[in-house]
Each structure stands twice: as C-alpha cells, then as structure tokens.
Amino acid sequence: MTDTNHTRKLFETEPAAYVEVVIPLALPKNYTWSVPPDLLAAVKPGCRVEVVLGKNKKYAGVVKRIHHDKPEAFEPKDILNVLDTEPIVFPEQQRLWEWMASYYSCSEGEVMQAALPTHLKLSSETVLLYNEEAGEDFSGLDEDEFLVAEALLIKNELKLAEVQQILDATHVYPVIKRLIEKKICFVWEELKSNYKEKKESYVLLSPEYHNEEKLAELINKKSKAPKQMELLLAFLHLMKTQGEVTQNDLLKKAGASLSQLKGLIQKDVVRVEKRSTDRIKYLPKIVQLDFTLSEAQQRAARQVDEVLSQKQVCLLHGVTASGKTLIYISLIAGLVKQGKQVLYMLPEIALTSQIIRRLQHFFGGHITVYHSKFNHSERLEIWNKVKSGEAKIIVGARSSLFLPFKDLGLIICDEEHDTSFKQQDPAPRYHARDAAIYYASLHHAKVLLGSATPSMETYFNAMSGKYGLVELLERFGQVELPKTEIIDTKKASSVRNKIIITPFLKDAIEGSLSQGKQVILFQNKRGYSPYQVCQACGWIPHCRYCDVSLTYHKLSNKLQCHYCGTVYPMISTCQACGNHHFVQHNFGTERIEESLQEQFPGVNIGRMDVDAVRGKNAHDTLIQSFEQKSIDILVGTQMVVKGLDFENVELVGILDADAILGFTDFRVNERAFQLMEQVSGRAGRKEKQGLVMIQVRNTAHPVLECVQQHDFKLFYKTEIDNRQRFFYPPYARLIKLTFKHKFNNIVVEAAEHYNSIVQPKWGKYLIGPAQPVVNRVRNQFLMELLFKLPKDSALISQAKQSIEESTAQLHQDKKFRSVAVIVDVDPL
C-alpha cells in the first residue's frame, strides 16, 4: 500500500473533527466549523484559524476546543487555514474569557475583541476576482468600468486599494457594484496582517579588521581622509561603549552624512545589516533596592507574606503616604528573583508615568508598560514579550489583565477602590479588580489589593474573613496626617454666583507660596463654566444629541458636550428670546486657572485635566514640571487625586465639595469620602504636616466629619449599616439593564414591555423601569431597569439566563427589534 493510500485510509477510519472557534463578534454562542483532514495535525486550542461566516465574510478566530460532535442543526463549513504554528493564547486566558462572558453577560467574541491586540485579530480586505465566464467583450461598459475590467482580465484579481489607484479616486464602490451586477467580477474577502517588524540598520566592522594590527594600520592610512577617519573613530568609540552600533547613532555622533558612511562600506571597512528591533527601548535589567523599610512597613510586609501564605487575596489598607509602594516593590523583588511574573495594575494611564520612573529606578528593563496609548505594533510586541516570559514586571491599566502570562506569581491592584477599573462601554463591562482575582486563581497566583480608602465591597470581604487584611495606619517618617479645615462658603458667596477662592483659602495659598511650597487645587469639572444662562429668560444652551447643558471652554471659545464630545460655536444670542446677555454659572478648571492668574500674578500655574494633557507624553511632562517645582499651583480634576506623590505640596484646596456630595446615587457618600480623602493625601507627605481646606455650603454633611478626622473605620461603620438597611452592595448584587433607542416613546414602551415579561418571576427584585438622570445620550433615549438580588449564586445565574431569554423575547416583537438592551453586572 502506498503512503498516500495509507493516509487516505487513516482519515477514512478516524471520526470527523470539528472546532469550536471564538470569533470577534457578539454571537450568543460560539460557532462550530469542521476541520479538513490535511489541517487536522496543525489545529491546536489557542491557535488562530481562518474561517468564513455568512456570505464570504472571513474572520480570524481562536480555537477553543477540538471535538468530534457534529452539529445537528446545520452543516458546518471547513476552516480555510491555520494561521499559527503555536497557540497565541494560553488555556488560562481562554478560561478567563469564558468566565468573563458568563459572569458579565456578554459573548466570548466580545471578550476576545477587547483582549487581543489589533494585529492578532487581522482585518478582512475586499478582493475583486475576475469572472472568467464574462468573456473579453467590454463594449457595454463605461470608461471607469472598462479600466477596472481590463485590469482584472490581466491580473485576475484586484484589491480595493488597487482599484482606487486605477481610477485615481477613493469612492469606487458604485463602479464595483455595477461590475458585480454585470457579472464581470465577484467579491471575496481576504485576511491580512498589518503588523510589520521594525528593522534597523546596524553597522559592523568587517571581519578583516577584527585583527588589531590591521585595524591600527587602517587608522594610520585614514589619517589622510579626515572625514572618514572621524567617522571610523566615532564607530569604534560607540562599539566599545554600546556594544552594538546603529547607523542612526553613528551618523548623529560623527555629524557625518550617509555618503561618507557609504565610502567606508565600499572600501570594505564596515558593513551594514538590517536587523529586527524593538519599537520600545528598554533599560538594562537590574534588581536593586536602595531603601530601608520603616518598622511599620517591615511589620506590614511580614503580615502580607503571612496572609498570602494562607489566603489568595490580601487587602493592604494603608493611609495616604504610608509607603505602600515600597512594600509592593519589596514583594516584587522577591518574585522576580524567583523568575515569576508580576502584574502591577493601576486604574488609569495617568498614574503610570510617575510610578514607572520609580519602578525603573529599582528594576530597570524588567519593567514593561502596557496601556492604550501605545500603537498597535508596540502592543503586539509587548504581548509577545509577556507570552515568552521575557517581561517580568508589567505595569498597566485594566487592559493589561488580558496579557498572556507564562508564569504569573502576583497581581497588585493599587488604588483598588477606583471606578476606572470598571469598563463601561463597550462589552465586556468587567471590573478589572474582580477579574484579576479570578485570573490569578487560574495561575495559582496571589492578589494584593491596596488603598487608603478601600471600596465597601473589598473592606467587607476583608472584615468577613474572605480576604486577608493588613493595616498600615501611620505615614512614612511618622509625618502627621494633614489638618483639615472646613470653609463655609455660604458666608463668602453671593446669591448669584459661587465664589471660586474664599479669602481664607487665598491667605493660605499666599502663606504656602511665601515659604516656597506648592499648592494643589481640586475641582471635578473641566472647562471654564459648566453652563451659561440667558439673563432675560433663563434659557440654557443644550446639546442637540444629549439632554445635558453645554460646557463653555474659554481657551477654544467653544461650547462642548462632555457626554458625546460634540463641539459647538459660541452662542451670543438667546434662541428663546433673542437677548444677547448670558451669565456663566459655576466654574471649571479653566476658570479657576484664570482666576488664579488674576489673583497671583507672576506665579506659575498648571492645569491637569483631559483637555490639558491630550498628547502621549503630555501628562508625564506636566507631572515632571510640578516635581521639578516649575509649577507653583496645580489645578486639576480627579487626575490629581490618584496616587501621585509630590513631596513639596503643603496645601490642598477642595473648591466645591457640594458638587461631590450631591450626586443621586447610593454610592455618593463612598465616592465623596474616597475623593476628598485621596485629595487630602497629596498634602504634607514629607517632613511637615500639611493643610487641607474644603470649601462647602453643606457643612453639616456627615461625610465631612470622617474626612476631617481621616477616619475610614467610622465612615465604614456608618455606611455599611445604611447599605444593610436598604439592601445594597455588599449585601445585594445588582444587574442594571439599559434600553436604548432613537425614539423616546419606543424605548419607554420597550422597557415597560420587558418589565411585564420579567415581572411575574422577578418582581420583588426589580426597581424601575425609569429614566436615568441624563435620559438621552448620542441621540439615543434611555430607560433603566435594576435587578437587586440576594447573594445567591444559583439565583443570580437564573436571573442572567432569564435576562437573556427575555431580551430575545422582546426582540421577537418587530416594534422593539432595534431597541438595544445593555446588561451591566455589578454596575458602578
């Protein structure tokens, strides 16, 4: 029997193989494809395969499992190709995807879309294929059609970009549509990868001159050609100091031209070769801890070790400036020496720049940063370094959780209370802190949560024994926590307008500046003025697409919607009464900056908000300017709150605490305490006790007493009692449904109809449906329905299943088919 016959016989006796594949679409369940016998040996779970779904639409999907169960409901298509020789994701990642999809009520395809770098997802490119049955008679075609048809006849296939080039136009779809209708061609989709390795030219000494005598002889000869001599000496110096010499470095150091380098190449003195290189430059790898922990820190570090030897999760509750970061660093050093990987998660990119510089001081090139500001190619290269185990310490925002860790030992979730850890849109709407705990369990790794103001859920879990708890209740160097003063703005404000800086705060700012100290002022509103009002009739300009007032940005002289981002020209005439006089109400960071410039001429003022730090490095540049004392007063939104460490700040001012305390949300007190305590924590972090001044009208608010005393436990006791009394987390579990549609009457009817479906079984657990505070965003009207469930896993699973079935039932009605139903598990 020949080898071919033997192989054919083997395939005939083996049962047909099928693969369950995750593709980047929101499909309720994963689709199944069949595996042709010639591809069976190459298919592995975690590898990408090329598949077709629908009419010739190609996708790069990830194989979840290989099985022999043929689907009964449909005839599966063959996979077209296997794109990887080795899996691109590990089994732990696929289990994380599956858990996320189940827990957060979304599809694995949506998780995959969020998890994989863009270059691993591949994009589908349109290809025109010539229809050979069309013949060569193009007399019935117009000029554009003829040009494309003739090119197709010659090449047999054309990419969309080639058609655009032929016609010298970008809008070519009408021409393609006519050619398809005339059966000259048909369309096919082709997967393409946009990733290209970065190549760099390296200059190498020719082998002949590795001999020192010959090199010396060459240098003597070159003395007659001074420019080439200078270039050669620069090359030898760089080779000695750097080891490897790039063409760019050499030309820059020698101040030489490419033609001068070519002279050395032609004489076989040096040669140039192209090499693959990293897009991101790394420092040399080190582990050097040049600090000593205080007694309190040493005690806390020992306790953390003890807790993590018994429990998977530990909460490190340390007051602001207690030195939690140094404890993290000492833990990281131990794990890196064991060859383990560590994920250091921070809530926002804004936090990473300062902490990266600190970590690089101790660990050098062991530090790898991963966040959304990197381009697609950089993110793929980081992904591969993590997958190979080369990257040991990864610092990143929530998306870093999806990286393919080879040997994960610890996840540190710093500022674990921060709401930025929760993904809002699009799905998966996951909480990175909670997902990290599950992901770590798959790797048998530990999780350390850190915060000065832990979330109610985390502290509840620590108090109930689910998590370990270690407390660090004194500041590093035994510096006292800042003194907090409450300023009653009722006594200083006019009836019409809020005062921006009260006389008490102004005096304190002058005092700090006179001592060479720096000041941070906090206001959680950007722009110049959150809204403006017609003086005659009270009309307020609103966004055309959202039910919110427009914020005035003086720097650009525009009005902007902070929900959808739409920018409008400045309005000078009231659209209701025609009056030309408007009054600016309330104040944002721009207006504060302007007011400070008027009150403190000659003082350097910086502003930290989304508008001021748009560039890739703008935030880091601003932080470094403040660290170097180039800025005296820093005004900012909550970006200035989050874990930043400035040793020269003595005074912190909270300009409008009422805005923080006035939200209509059951978490309002928790958020207010966290925000004000974190802002307070920026004051007096080294040597001298700092001062915090809070401007507020509602001076009797109970949260202010807890902030004044820096008493988290008092706050927790009061708040947890209220949560239990009114059955809110951590005693209940929430699932929020948001209904969206472009017509208000449709979305209201849809929500009411959905409620009637779920009411019989879940009525006692439902709140709503009702309109949210902002009931239209991006021209979509909104309604909300809240499930408030006991902490019963089986009941919660039933609720999720019921939500999925009820959504399908709602969409059976033609009237509600276009109503979007968004499920948010554990909403914030």
Side-chain angles (χ1 to χ4, degrees):
M1 189 186 290
T2 66
D3 286 349
T4 309
N5 289 337
H6 176 71
T7 306
R8 191 179 293 121
K9 195 86 175 168
L10 238 145
F11 285 141
E12 283 169 6
T13 54
E14 283 188 7
Y18 302 94
V19 281
E20 182 184 335
V21 179
V22 182
I23 60 173
L25 291 179
L27 300 175
K29 59 186 282 190
N30 294 327
Y31 203 74
T32 298
W33 281 265
S34 56
V35 183
D38 58 316
L39 293 179
L40 188 55
V43 172
K44 299 171 191 169
C47 283
R48 291 172 303 162
V49 289
E50 190 176 340
V51 294
V52 172
L53 186 69
K55 293 183 178 180
N56 296 338
K57 186 68 178 173
K58 286 190 179 181
Y59 296 94
V62 175
V63 175
K64 185 178 178 183
R65 68 185 183 100
I66 304 167
H67 59 92
H68 299 287
D69 306 320
K70 184 180 178 182
E72 295 178 4
F74 64 96
E75 187 64 35
K77 296 178 181 178
D78 282 352
I79 62 170
L80 303 178
N81 199 6
V82 180
L83 300 173
D84 305 298
T85 54
E86 291 297 323
I88 61 157
V89 293
F90 292 129
E92 292 85 357
Q93 285 173 281
Q94 292 192 293
R95 286 170 66 188
L96 174 69
W97 294 5
E98 186 178 7
W99 176 83
M100 271 194 178
S102 169
Y103 187 88
Y104 292 106
S105 294
C106 62
S107 69
E108 285 181 63
E110 288 171 304
V111 180
M112 173 192 166
Q113 181 72 9
L116 288 185
T118 299
H119 286 321
L120 286 180
K121 288 179 279 197
L122 302 186
S123 57
S124 188
E125 183 174 59
T126 302
V127 179
L128 296 187
L129 297 181
Y130 179 62
N131 181 7
E132 292 180 1
E133 294 177 9
E136 298 180 17
D137 180 13
F138 301 147
S139 56
L141 305 182
D142 65 26
E143 187 181 347
D144 286 347
E145 293 165 3
F146 177 81
L147 287 171
V148 177
E150 192 175 42
L152 274 169
L153 180 64
I154 297 164
K155 291 189 70 175
N156 209 39
E157 66 175 54
L158 289 172
K159 292 178 180 173
L160 188 61
E162 292 174 316
V163 177
Q164 290 170 330
Q165 202 172 358
I166 290 164
L167 299 179
D168 194 23
T170 52
H171 189 56
V172 295
Y173 292 104
V175 178
I176 293 170
K177 187 169 180 283
R178 294 197 300 271
L179 287 170
I180 294 167
E181 287 167 354
K182 292 174 181 178
K183 295 186 170 47
I184 301 296
C185 66
F186 52 91
V187 172
W188 183 246
E189 294 290 321
E190 179 182 81
L191 288 182
K192 62 168 184 174
S193 173
N194 292 321
Y195 175 72
K196 288 179 183 172
E197 281 190 332
K198 185 182 178 185
K199 299 279 188 181
E200 194 156 11
S201 297
Y202 281 80
V203 182
L204 306 170
L205 191 65
S206 294
E208 182 186 347
Y209 297 109
H210 288 180
N211 181 301
E212 287 187 15
E213 288 178 11
K214 289 202 172 185
L215 184 59
E217 189 183 325
L218 173 71
I219 291 169
N220 290 332
K221 279 182 186 175
K222 286 289 169 194
S223 59
K224 295 172 185 177
K227 282 290 180 186
Q228 288 189 359
M229 175 70 172
E230 201 177 318
L231 188 57
L232 179 59
L233 290 174
F235 167 73
L236 293 171
H237 175 74
L238 285 172
M239 194 167 70
K240 191 174 181 181
T241 55
Q242 292 181 192
E244 293 185 327
V245 182
T246 66
Q247 182 176 291
N248 287 340
D249 285 350
L250 176 57
L251 295 178
K252 191 175 177 181
K253 180 171 178 60
S257 65
L258 190 57
S259 61
Q260 288 165 346
L261 177 60
K262 282 179 180 174
L264 288 179
I265 295 167
Q266 285 164 4
K267 291 172 183 174
D268 286 331
V269 175
V270 296
R271 60 191 175 86
V272 173
E273 69 174 39
K274 291 268 187 187
R275 292 184 190 172
S276 297
T277 185
D278 288 333
R279 285 175 165 83
I280 301 164
K281 299 298 178 190
Y282 291 89
L283 298 169
K285 293 179 179 178
I286 55 168
V287 178
Q288 58 170 27
L289 305 190
D290 55 2
F291 62 85
T292 304
L293 296 177
S294 68
E295 282 186 29
Q297 287 173 319
Q298 288 176 31
R299 190 165 53 250
R302 283 195 302 270
Q303 289 173 348
V304 168
D305 279 333
E306 287 167 16
V307 167
L308 290 179
S309 68
Q310 299 166 32
K311 293 180 184 286
Q312 192 216 341
V313 184
C314 175
L315 168 64
L316 175 58
H317 174 215
V319 296
T320 56
S322 58
K324 296 185 290 296
T325 305
L326 294 181
I327 294 174
Y328 301 155
I329 288 166
S330 61
L331 284 169
I332 291 167
L335 285 154
V336 170
K337 285 174 183 174
Q338 294 171 37
K340 296 279 188 182
Q341 291 174 302
V342 178
L343 172 58
Y344 192 139
M345 279 204 310
L346 295 158
E348 284 193 66
I349 301 165
L351 269 177
T352 57
S353 57
Q354 193 181 47
I355 193 70
I356 287 160
R357 288 198 301 277
R358 291 183 71 182
L359 291 171
Q360 283 175 338
H361 173 75
F362 302 116
F363 300 109
H366 282 304
I367 300 296
T368 300
V369 185
Y370 187 82
H371 54 58
S372 58
K373 288 274 176 97
F374 286 120
N375 65 41
H376 297 319
S377 296
E378 288 169 338
R379 295 184 89 179
L380 179 59
E381 288 178 6
I382 295 166
W383 176 280
N384 289 330
K385 283 185 183 295
V386 175
K387 185 171 178 283
S388 69
E390 183 185 342
K392 293 298 180 191
I393 307 165
I394 293 84
V395 182
R398 60 175 180 262
S399 61
S400 58
L401 183 66
F402 292 115
L403 288 166
F405 291 93
K406 187 178 183 181
D407 193 6
L408 184 63
L410 175 69
I411 297 178
I412 296 169
C413 186
D414 198 14
E415 309 295 345
E416 65 80 28
H417 65 277
D418 199 291
T419 55
S420 298
F421 278 124
K422 178 79 159 92
Q423 164 78 6
Q424 299 300 334
D425 280 309
R429 294 171 181 84
Y430 66 100
H431 198 300
R433 177 198 63 211
D434 300 340
I437 292 169
Y438 178 76
Y439 191 35
S441 72
L442 300 177
H443 285 271
H444 306 290
K446 303 296 184 179
V447 179
L448 180 60
L449 308 175
S451 178
T453 54
S455 67
M456 296 299 291
E457 289 87 345
T458 296
Y459 201 74
F460 178 81
N461 285 334
M463 295 303 286
S464 63
K466 185 177 179 180
Y467 301 163
L469 174 63
V470 174
E471 295 190 302
L472 186 57
L473 302 179
E474 65 177 56
R475 282 187 151 189
F476 184 73
Q478 297 184 323
V479 177
E480 286 185 79
L481 285 163
K483 181 185 176 185
T484 304
E485 292 182 5
I486 306 296
I487 301 171
D488 188 349
T489 53
K490 291 194 298 291
K491 296 174 182 176
S493 299
S494 65
V495 178
R496 275 184 172 276
N497 287 313
K498 286 185 177 180
I499 192 163
I500 297 175
I501 295 169
T502 58
F504 306 104
L505 181 56
K506 186 182 177 186
D507 290 345
I509 293 170
E510 286 172 345
S512 285
L513 295 176
S514 67
Q515 294 172 32
K517 297 294 183 181
Q518 292 168 291
V519 177
I520 290 178
L521 298 178
F522 170 76
Q523 168 67 340
N524 213 19
K525 290 188 180 80
R526 61 190 176 96
Y528 188 83
S529 171
Y531 62 100
Q532 54 181 9
V533 183
C534 171
Q535 231 173 359
C537 71
W539 177 77
I540 299 171
H542 274 67
C543 178
R544 281 196 292 269
Y545 312 109
C546 310
D547 278 343
V548 289
S549 59
L550 296 172
T551 299
Y552 172 47
H553 288 254
K554 191 171 185 180
L555 200 66
S556 59
N557 198 34
K558 303 280 186 189
L559 297 173
Q560 187 178 347
C561 173
H562 286 178
Y563 276 74
C564 70
T566 305
V567 176
Y568 299 84
M570 189 60 192
I571 293 171
S572 54
T573 304
C574 175
Q575 292 178 12
C577 71
N579 180 44
H580 299 301
H581 299 288
F582 286 87
V583 177
Q584 308 291 344
H585 271 260
N586 218 320
F587 54 89
T589 49
E590 267 190 26
R591 192 169 177 189
I592 298 163
E593 185 181 24
E594 182 185 86
S595 177
L596 288 167
Q597 286 165 346
E598 290 169 359
Q599 294 185 61
F600 302 98
V603 169
N604 293 320
I605 296 158
R607 178 163 56 88
M608 187 188 289
D609 57 29
V610 174
D611 303 311
V613 291
R614 288 197 181 278
K616 187 173 182 178
N617 301 311
H619 183 268
D620 192 25
T621 303
L622 183 62
I623 285 175
Q624 288 193 56
S625 295
F626 197 61
E627 283 177 329
Q628 292 158 10
K629 304 175 187 175
S630 303
I631 295 171
D632 301 307
I633 304 175
L634 182 63
V635 182
T637 57
Q638 57 186 328
M639 289 174 104
V640 301
V641 174
K642 302 184 178 183
L644 295 172
D645 187 3
F646 303 116
E647 60 181 42
N648 196 45
V649 173
E650 185 181 85
L651 173 67
V652 166
I654 298 172
L655 302 185
D656 185 13
D658 297 292
I660 305 168
L661 295 163
F663 284 107
T664 52
D665 187 280
F666 77 91
R667 296 185 196 272
V668 61
N669 288 347
E670 180 184 4
R671 298 261 170 81
F673 177 81
Q674 288 167 347
L675 207 49
M676 287 192 276
E677 186 62 21
Q678 289 286 343
V679 176
S680 303
R682 301 318 104 204
R685 294 174 73 89
K686 298 282 191 296
E687 299 170 3
K688 189 180 171 187
Q689 184 185 26
L691 174 64
V692 179
M693 303 188 86
I694 301 174
Q695 296 185 163
V696 64
R697 294 177 76 87
N698 183 8
T699 53
H701 198 291
V703 168
L704 293 173
E705 183 188 349
C706 301
V707 174
Q708 248 187 318
Q709 296 175 20
H710 304 288
D711 195 337
F712 173 79
K713 290 181 180 178
L714 172 64
F715 168 75
Y716 174 79
K717 186 179 183 307
T718 308
E719 186 66 13
I720 205 74
D721 288 346
N722 289 334
R723 298 283 181 93
Q724 187 172 22
R725 189 180 309 127
F726 297 107
F727 192 53
Y728 275 106
Y731 294 98
R733 292 286 299 283
L734 304 182
I735 302 176
K736 183 174 77 175
L737 304 187
T738 303
F739 301 85
K740 287 185 174 184
H741 196 269
K742 61 182 177 180
F743 296 122
N744 191 39
N745 61 319
I746 298 287
V747 81
V748 170
E749 283 181 51
E752 294 291 354
H753 182 59
Y754 191 99
N755 188 47
S756 69
I757 297 169
V758 295
Q759 189 67 227
K761 184 174 181 179
W762 301 99
K764 65 179 179 178
Y765 302 119
L766 295 176
I767 297 176
Q771 287 185 336
V773 176
V774 178
N775 76 318
R776 184 172 61 106
V777 176
R778 293 185 174 89
N779 233 14
Q780 296 282 306
F781 287 93
L782 310 176
M783 287 288 285
E784 290 179 348
L785 181 63
L786 190 69
F787 280 72
K788 205 174 175 190
L789 302 162
K791 292 173 76 174
D792 177 332
S793 299
L795 188 71
I796 292 163
S797 294
Q798 288 173 31
K800 289 175 185 175
Q801 183 65 34
S802 184
I803 287 167
E804 191 178 326
E805 290 168 0
S806 302
T807 302
Q809 194 175 329
L810 177 77
H811 288 151
Q812 291 299 311
D813 191 324
K814 194 175 179 181
K815 187 177 183 182
F816 304 130
R817 202 163 289 164
S818 57
V819 174
V821 181
I822 292 161
V823 183
D824 190 0
V825 178
D826 301 338
L828 289 182

